[in-house]
Amino acid sequence: MRQSLPATKIVGAILAILALAAGPPRAFEIETEQYFAAVDGSSEITIMSTADLSVFAPLVRGFQNRNPRVSVRYVVLSSAELYSAVLAGEAAPDLVISSAMDLQTKLANDGFAQPFRSQATETLPAWARWRDELFAFTLEPAVLILSKPAFADLPRPKTRQDLIELLRDNPERFKNRIGTYDLRTSGLGYLFGTQDTRQSETFWRLSEVMGALQTRLYCCSGQMIEDVRSGELALAYNVLGSYADAQDESNVDIVLLEDYTSVMMRTALIPNSAKNAQLAGTFINYLLSTDGRALLRAEIGPGPLDTDTFSSEQNLRPIRLGPGLLVYLDQLKRQSFLRAWASAIIQP
Amino acid sequence: MNAPLKPSASLRQRLRLQLLGLIAILSLLLYFSVRTIAGGAAETTQDNILSASATSIIEALHAEQDDILLDIPYAALSMLGANSEERVFYRIMTKASTITGYDDLPAPETFPAPEQPVFYNSEYRGSAVRIVAMTRVITVRDTPTEVLALVAQTRLGQDAITARIANTAAALGVGFFLIAGILGALTVESALRPIVNIAQAVQRRGPHDLRPMLKPAPLELAPLLASLNSFMERLRTALLRTEDFIAEAAHRVRTPLATVRAQTEIALRRAKTPEDREALRAVIRAVDESARSAGQLLDHASVTLRADKMERGDVDLSALVKDLVHGLAPTAEIRDIRIILHPAEGEFTTIGDPVLLMGALRNILDNAIKYSPDESEISVVLSAEEELCCITICDSGRGLNDAEQKTLTRRFGRGSNVADVVGSGLGLTIVSEVVAAHGGSFRLTPNKERGTCAKVCLPRK
Ligand SMILES: Nc1ncnc2c1ncn2[C@@H]1O[C@H](COP(=O)(O)OP(=O)(O)O)[C@@H](O)[C@H]1O
Ligand SMILES: [Mg+2]
């Protein structure tokens, strides 16, 4: 599904690199930046996002098809960097798209977001928006992925309890072949981990068992999926399902655990410092439009407006937007949580 | 007769104003009490949630060796988002430093006593917030340390609720005001109805109707009605006495006058010199005038004082007018004045007192003769107009000299151009009162060329 890079994209990338070289030092680090120049670029918006360029490029183009005079600067950076970029108010983005629901909530809670109301946002279910400032547009489950060859003669675990028993019964097979997020560095991993502790105590037991098997810690879902596919890992826990879906699946099984599966929602917000809040609103409307949703479904999976998702899957637990998410951002809470987690997962 | 009574103030107005004022005060009271009570309840709800949140945070505090540790329960903040989309802030601090949370969240000057949370409103990050401050003492390194937990929530929902409550309260107040106002107005009307009824009953009866009021009256008005009745009774007796007195007086004057006249006529016949004769004729004229005045006084007394006792029978006006003209023709002839009675077709019957009607018409014709020059004509026309029959008496005399009818019909009212003619000024008073007592009308108008027309219309039977 990856197409060859069109000429404009290459030019944009070169421009972006030039701009990077020339620009003043920033308070945050970016990963990639691409400028989608409009033919008649009379206006411009800057989107800062944690989503890979490859995932979002089709959406930006789709948006530009509808709004041909808008140039889009798409900047990819980590959720923590994105958070500090908004706090700094520097090189102010017009639209912030992040998978870190907690940080997004904190931005809105602390008064860095501005409200936006439209027909599209009104149709969002109440759990998919907060204060008219934070809008969810995807539903991305945390999944367990299994290497098919490694599980050739093993039953597929259906619940975390199954998984714990499986790991306990086959330590030699899984030793050093389990992957999960390093919660100390990955915001998304931390979000999934903390949500796990809310759901059930099995998370701590699972971490203990995984720790005993020298679990490898990762920064990102992509690398984990890659290692499961190559057979280096037998399984990876709490991988972003949307990324797993996008990969070649011949070697990999995706399991939505039946006891519960946390569902992350990617959210968009318009910062107070946005220069072009109106266009940012237009982009949000596009994300929630039928066209936008169709593209998102192809790249990431269903969104909150795809209503039948939840009625069919009882075990899906969307992470709730709201002040509860602020709890895990508390420094003391974070410290004590990470201490407990590290002592479970890192065993000599 | 008397100037219209100037009412000091309307009872209805006063009742309405007072009731309205009362209702307005009650409405305002209702408005404010609903606002305070409901607003207070809404605030209490928010305070309760804040307090629950702060309690669960403060209970999670614990000391480990030298550190104060805190593991904020998820519910502590999530409960604040359960029913609202308020922004949430918190701060955990000792007197020395902030342990965690928003270190610029406004804290009270002094820590409140443990178990006694303090609630206050403040401004934080551009929003109005409600804050709870709760203290707990925990022992760190064997020293009791006060730890303060602040939990804050924006008041947007609170403000929205307050605004909604204010609207509801206002609607309640206005509704109460309207309903109570309408009921109040109805009450005023029904309370005043007996008074209005009696006033109307009094007003309906003519000015001379002095019969007692027999309508049932409410307890409070019974004394008034009783006094009114007894007053009217006394007035009636007094008037009857006056009438009797006047009649008696007139009669007493008229009888000797008749004797004087008869004796003078005899003397006139015997008189030798023209001077004597002239003097005696003057005496006769004066006596006639006096007799007429006495008659008018008598007539006047009977009309004004006996309206209720008036005889009511069929009166044939054409016969009456014929008699009238016949009776006054001799007087007119002395001055060569011709009274022309125009023949009338049909029936002219009215209901009333023939003596009073005759008296009234006589006064009109009398005036016509009196204020006409010698050798002139007076026309008397009987005509039918719809439901009325009218008698018009026109002369070609000196006219009214622009005097208003109202001043001429006033008692003893006389024109400015008639000083040379003897008169009492009672004639037209009698006319208008008799006509009014019969439900008719009386108009004085200038005659076409010169003179005066007097027109009396009475309802036809
Ligand atoms: N036919 C009339 N012609 C002129 N004036 C008249 C006539 N009838 C009445 N008046 C005026 O009306 C006044 C009042 O009339 P009346 O009450 O009969 O009193 P009086 O005793 O003066 O006739 C008269 O004084 C006179 O000025
Ligand atoms: Mg007269």
Side-chain angles (χ1 to χ4, degrees), chain B residues 296 363 366-367 370-371 424-425 427-428:
Chain B
Q296 280 178 328
N363 272 298
D366 206 45
N367 278 351
K370 224 163 67 170
Y371 300 115
S424 64
L428 293 189

Side-chain angles (χ1 to χ4, degrees), chain A residues 75-125:
Chain A
V75 182
V76 181
L77 62 184
S78 80
S79 56
E81 293 298 331
L82 177 49
Y83 177 73
S84 41
V86 176
L87 282 201
E90 204 181 303
D94 298 301
L95 186 66
V96 171
I97 289 172
S98 172
S99 52
M101 296 172 69
D102 42 5
L103 291 175
Q104 293 280 84
T105 305
K106 189 162 168 62
L107 283 178
N109 185 71
D110 293 1
F112 292 99
Q114 53 178 293
F116 169 68
R117 238 174 246 116
S118 75
Q119 217 178 351
T121 66
E122 301 286 331
T123 50
L124 271 176

Side-chain angles (χ1 to χ4, degrees), chain A residues 106 108-112 126 129-132 195 198 320 323-333 336, chain B residues 68-74 77-78 80-82 84-90 99-102 125 154 156:
Chain A
K106 189 162 168 62
N109 185 71
D110 293 1
F112 292 99
R129 67 184 145 128
W130 194 60
R131 289 178 55 77
D132 289 323
Q195 290 299 318
R198 277 196 57 221
R320 257 187 57 201
L325 286 175
L326 301 180
V327 168
Y328 298 105
L329 292 179
D330 181 78
Q331 313 132 41
L332 291 182
K333 179 93 176 176
S336 66
Chain B
I68 297 169
L69 292 184
L70 173 63
D71 186 9
I72 300 181
Y74 175 79
L77 298 188
S78 75
L80 294 172
S84 70
E85 298 211 322
E86 303 290 354
R87 291 156 62 190
V88 170
F89 310 102
Y90 65 95
I99 300 171
T100 187
Y102 296 74
R125 290 187 185 230
T154 49
L156 299 174

Side-chain angles (χ1 to χ4, degrees), chain A residues 53-314:
Chain A
L53 188 56
S54 59
V55 173
F56 245 74
L59 278 150
V60 172
R61 293 216 187 76
F63 172 75
Q64 280 182 320
N65 275 346
R66 279 222 205 155
N67 304 273
R69 318 185 100 197
V70 184
S71 300
V72 179
R73 180 186 304 282
Y74 188 82
V75 182
V76 181
L77 62 184
S78 80
S79 56
E81 293 298 331
L82 177 49
Y83 177 73
S84 41
V86 176
L87 282 201
E90 204 181 303
D94 298 301
L95 186 66
V96 171
I97 289 172
S98 172
S99 52
M101 296 172 69
D102 42 5
L103 291 175
Q104 293 280 84
T105 305
K106 189 162 168 62
L107 283 178
N109 185 71
D110 293 1
F112 292 99
Q114 53 178 293
F116 169 68
R117 238 174 246 116
S118 75
Q119 217 178 351
T121 66
E122 301 286 331
T123 50
L124 271 176
W127 50 263
R129 67 184 145 128
W130 194 60
R131 289 178 55 77
D132 289 323
E133 293 175 352
L134 205 53
F135 309 100
F137 61 94
T138 66
L139 293 170
E140 303 175 47
V143 299
L144 175 69
I145 58 172
L146 309 174
S147 154
K148 278 185 188 164
F151 276 80
D153 55 346
L154 285 178
R156 302 278 147 97
K158 284 191 174 145
T159 64
R160 282 171 186 72
Q161 195 53 45
D162 289 352
L163 183 60
I164 289 171
E165 278 160 21
L166 193 73
L167 296 184
R168 277 205 185 124
D169 295 348
N170 307 282
E172 65 297 337
R173 194 186 300 223
F174 291 108
K175 193 153 188 105
N176 213 20
R177 289 190 69 202
I178 305 171
T180 192
Y181 273 118
D182 184 345
L183 305 201
R184 293 165 303 186
T185 55
S186 161
L188 186 58
Y190 183 71
L191 179 65
F192 283 149
T194 50
Q195 290 299 318
D196 274 348
T197 61
R198 277 196 57 221
Q199 299 294 349
S200 113
E201 282 299 314
T202 51
F203 173 72
W204 293 114
R205 279 194 284 134
L206 181 61
S207 298
E208 286 285 345
V209 174
M210 280 164 62
L213 294 171
Q214 258 85 57
T215 289
R216 292 202 235 163
L217 301 179
Y218 287 78
C219 76
C220 320
S221 281
Q223 192 58 46
M224 272 189 274
I225 297 162
E226 192 57 39
D227 287 355
V228 173
R229 207 150 55 112
S230 70
E232 208 173 321
L233 290 184
L235 66 88
Y237 175 72
N238 267 0
V239 178
L240 196 56
S242 49
Y243 283 13
D245 273 340
Q247 312 287 327
D248 170 20
E249 286 173 24
S250 57
N251 252 347
V252 171
D253 251 348
I254 298 175
V255 180
L256 275 73
L257 292 171
E258 281 168 17
D259 45 351
Y260 66 87
T261 292
S262 296
V263 179
M264 177 274 280
M265 297 187 281
R266 222 174 270 270
T267 53
L269 69 78
I270 306 173
N272 268 337
S273 50
K275 290 189 210 81
N276 206 338
Q278 206 195 327
L279 270 184
T282 314
F283 198 91
I284 291 176
N285 284 341
Y286 176 72
L287 288 179
L288 300 176
S289 70
T290 327
D291 290 2
R293 274 161 50 211
L295 279 176
L296 276 169
R297 249 196 314 275
E299 298 291 329
I300 293 177
L305 282 173
D306 300 308
T307 41
D308 47 342
T309 316
F310 282 94
S311 42
S312 56
E313 313 262 3
Q314 291 291 326

Side-chain angles (χ1 to χ4, degrees), chain B residues 95-153:
Chain B
K95 289 207 165 108
S97 64
T98 296
I99 300 171
T100 187
Y102 296 74
D103 54 15
D104 54 347
L105 191 63
E109 302 274 301
T110 54
F111 284 20
E115 309 290 329
Q116 272 163 13
V118 175
F119 299 90
Y120 53 99
N121 295 331
S122 185
E123 184 86 10
Y124 185 64
R125 290 187 185 230
S127 295
V129 288
R130 181 82 177 158
I131 306 182
V132 60
M134 207 180 263
T135 309
R136 182 179 158 197
V137 181
I138 54 176
T139 310
V140 188
R141 247 179 300 158
D142 298 330
T143 6
T145 310
E146 280 184 300
V147 182
L148 181 71
L150 303 178
V151 180
Q153 215 182 7

